[in-house]
Amino acid sequence: MADKELDQGKRRFLVAATGVAGGVATAATAVPFVASMLPSERAKAAGAPVEADISQLAPGEKFTVEWRGQPVWIVRRTPEMLEAIKKSDDKVADPNSKRKPGEITPAYAQNEFRSIKPELLVVVGICSHLGCSPQDRFKAGAEAFESDWKGGFYCPCHGSLFDLAGRVYKNKPAPDNLKVPPYKYLSDTKILIGDDSKGG
């Protein structure tokens, strides 16, 4: 009788151990499988689209996401900021974004505000001169670098200036406007950066 109970105890132990080992093996197999469905760091660096939630972005604020290893700025512009852009036309080198069409500014952003929706600016935060990252100086008023500053971006490395639409000021080291990346709206609160294809 004692041997029978011992055999049943061993059997229960072996069944439980096999079940646990099977569960661990299943999890070990599932994790890499699920992970393989997500974009890798290499794919993200190569340009996999990045989703940005702008639901908490207040007027006058900037939000940064990383795409292709670069900062992409999303700015919710106020009505005053939009008016300042109109007043900067005579100060900027490429007011209508005609330089390098398609390369720097996609067709859907070749407008006064360089954006799909006027209130939201989406640009790569890299100066077109030597790749520095400009600082945001949204408040209008006299600055050491510009007495009649309307607000925008200032690159302290070499003094390039960009208005609130990312347009470069005349006679500055930077040759071009800030780049507008490919993007589209998934909803009123979500933007997909790195993909501007229609449909899907």
Side-chain angles (χ1 to χ4, degrees), residues 2-3 88 121 126 147 161 164-165 173:
D3 287 342
S88 298
L121 173 70
I126 300 291
S147 60
L161 303 177
L164 289 161

Side-chain angles (χ1 to χ4, degrees), residues 29-82:
T29 305
V31 169
F33 176 72
V34 171
S36 72
M37 298 169 93
L38 301 171
S40 67
E41 291 305 314
R42 187 174 181 181
K44 287 179 187 174
V50 176
E51 198 173 297
D53 182 348
I54 55 168
S55 58
Q56 302 300 311
L57 188 61
E61 288 185 350
K62 179 181 86 173
F63 175 66
T64 305
V65 295
E66 186 178 331
W67 174 67
R68 289 189 172 181
Q70 299 178 319
V72 174
W73 297 336
I74 303 169
V75 180
R76 188 178 295 277
R77 297 178 288 205
T78 63
E80 293 77 20
M81 292 168 113
L82 295 175

Side-chain angles (χ1 to χ4, degrees), residues 72-169:
V72 174
W73 297 336
I74 303 169
V75 180
R76 188 178 295 277
R77 297 178 288 205
T78 63
E80 293 77 20
M81 292 168 113
L82 295 175
E83 278 304 310
I85 292 169
K86 295 176 183 178
K87 294 175 183 172
S88 298
D89 283 353
D90 62 331
K91 294 179 176 284
V92 296
D94 184 17
N96 300 311
S97 302
K98 298 298 182 192
R99 291 185 189 167
K100 302 179 186 173
E103 182 184 333
I104 293 178
T105 311
Y108 50 80
Q110 289 176 9
N111 54 53
E112 186 173 30
F113 302 113
R114 299 187 74 229
S115 58
I116 296 172
K117 295 182 180 182
E119 69 275 13
L120 285 161
L121 173 70
V122 180
V123 290
V124 176
I126 300 291
C127 180
S128 58
H129 179 224
L130 290 176
C132 302
S133 189
Q135 301 171 352
D136 41 287
R137 298 286 181 90
F138 294 157
K139 189 175 179 185
E143 291 277 2
F145 50 79
E146 175 69 25
S147 60
D148 186 26
W149 183 241
K150 307 284 187 210
F153 306 95
Y154 164 65
C155 188
C157 299
H158 304 98
S160 293
L161 303 177
F162 302 88
D163 75 352
L164 289 161
R167 302 178 301 178
V168 67
Y169 271 51

